[in-house]
Amino acid sequence: MVSGALLFAGGLAVAGVALLALGARELWFAWQIHRGEPLAVFELPNELGPVEVQGIAKPDGGTVESPISGSPSLVCEWEVQEHRTTNAGEGTNTHWKTLDEGLVGGPFRLADDTASCRVEPAGSVRHLEEQTVTVPGGTPLPDRLAEFVAENPDVAAQDGTIDLGVTELKIGNDQRFVERRLDPGEKCYVYGRAHYDAGAGHRGGEVNVVINGDGVRRFLIADGRERGVAWDVAKIGSVPVVIGVGLLALAVVVV
């Protein structure tokens, strides 16, 4: 009969191998990004398929207004978080709870020194710089955020106070308003699949190519160079690798 210890060790080993495989896959993808050379945009019509390109992000017909800051943007993902405290047994647990989130933006153009192409951001994984405004509980919201909250039924202002006579007691939870934006004129890196599209270019210097996520493992848009994206992906892959090695080591100890 197989002992309980061996069964436990076997389970640890299976989990460890699975995590190692998952992490190795991410690390391999990161290496592919790192060693890849972005194509010049004018070459895209001859390289339909998975591609890397980098250049400057530009409007393709206009911009959108980012919901929190009101900045003109090409792509903007936003999130509102609230600091919550919950009782957990004998202690307390604090965490940031997401109240609402969203994504706005549409097609934009990516231009280098050779030409420009259209990028369809739907379905992308975005690596964009985060901008955060934190508002302490009991503090009035700035005008722009107050307007945003007033129009959002999922978010309530936490600016309440209690008048104690000699002072006021602020009540309510801290809130964070987060935006990650790709703005016109920013450097942009894209990993996706290039497709021929007769409507993607109308003016001189525009190629009839659109890049989207159809048929690629992961569609990436970043406001930086490819090495920064490769490092982000590598960090994601390193976590399951470390945990997997730890589980395998524990399995050996148990045996």
Side-chain angles (χ1 to χ4, degrees), residues 94-161:
T94 62
H95 64 284
W96 287 97
K97 177 180 174 60
T98 297
L99 302 180
D100 199 11
E101 58 187 341
L103 174 69
V104 294
F108 64 91
R109 301 202 73 81
L110 188 146
D112 63 10
D113 294 335
T114 66
S116 73
C117 65
R118 177 179 293 164
V119 180
E120 297 275 2
S124 62
V125 176
R126 295 159 299 279
H127 298 259
L128 306 174
E129 182 180 359
E130 184 171 288
Q131 300 178 10
T132 302
V133 176
T134 301
V135 181
T139 302
L141 294 169
D143 291 343
R144 174 71 195 186
L145 295 181
E147 293 175 8
F148 171 79
V149 169
E151 296 171 356
N152 192 316
D154 296 318
V155 182
Q158 298 291 303
D159 55 357
T161 59

Side-chain angles (χ1 to χ4, degrees), residues 18-245:
L19 286 171
L20 278 175
L22 176 64
R25 186 182 180 190
E26 291 296 313
L27 292 176
W28 174 247
F29 183 45
W31 172 246
Q32 287 181 305
I33 295 173
H34 175 72
R35 69 181 181 134
E37 286 294 332
L39 292 170
V41 173
F42 87 96
E43 298 177 302
L44 291 178
N46 301 319
E47 299 287 345
L48 300 180
V51 295
E52 295 179 73
V53 289
Q54 65 183 23
I56 302 298
K58 296 184 176 182
D60 185 35
T63 61
V64 295
E65 183 179 283
S66 43
I68 292 175
S69 67
S71 302
S73 181
L74 303 173
V75 179
C76 175
E77 54 183 8
W78 57 272
E79 185 176 3
V80 182
Q81 303 170 338
E82 192 169 284
H83 196 250
R84 298 284 181 86
T85 301
T86 56
N87 294 323
E90 298 180 355
T92 58
N93 176 45
T94 62
H95 64 284
W96 287 97
K97 177 180 174 60
T98 297
L99 302 180
D100 199 11
E101 58 187 341
L103 174 69
V104 294
F108 64 91
R109 301 202 73 81
L110 188 146
D112 63 10
D113 294 335
T114 66
S116 73
C117 65
R118 177 179 293 164
V119 180
E120 297 275 2
S124 62
V125 176
R126 295 159 299 279
H127 298 259
L128 306 174
E129 182 180 359
E130 184 171 288
Q131 300 178 10
T132 302
V133 176
T134 301
V135 181
T139 302
L141 294 169
D143 291 343
R144 174 71 195 186
L145 295 181
E147 293 175 8
F148 171 79
V149 169
E151 296 171 356
N152 192 316
D154 296 318
V155 182
Q158 298 291 303
D159 55 357
T161 59
I162 298 177
D163 188 355
L164 300 179
V166 294
T167 186
E168 283 189 339
L169 176 65
K170 297 181 178 180
I171 59 174
N173 299 318
D174 294 353
Q175 291 181 325
R176 285 198 307 213
F177 298 82
V178 183
E179 277 188 352
R180 290 175 286 271
R181 302 195 316 266
L182 179 65
D183 293 338
E186 280 196 281
K187 292 181 178 179
C188 181
Y189 166 84
V190 175
Y191 176 91
R193 180 174 288 272
H195 303 267
Y196 174 78
D197 185 334
H202 303 286
R203 296 179 291 271
E206 297 181 347
V207 297
N208 291 323
V209 171
V210 60
I211 300 177
N212 58 29
D214 294 346
V216 291
R217 180 182 164 209
R218 190 172 304 151
F219 177 29
L220 302 175
I221 296 176
D223 54 2
R225 302 180 68 84
E226 79 278 5
R227 291 183 180 178
V229 179
W231 176 238
D232 287 344
V233 175
K235 287 190 289 185
I236 295 172
S238 65
V239 174
V241 167
V242 170
I243 297 175
V245 169

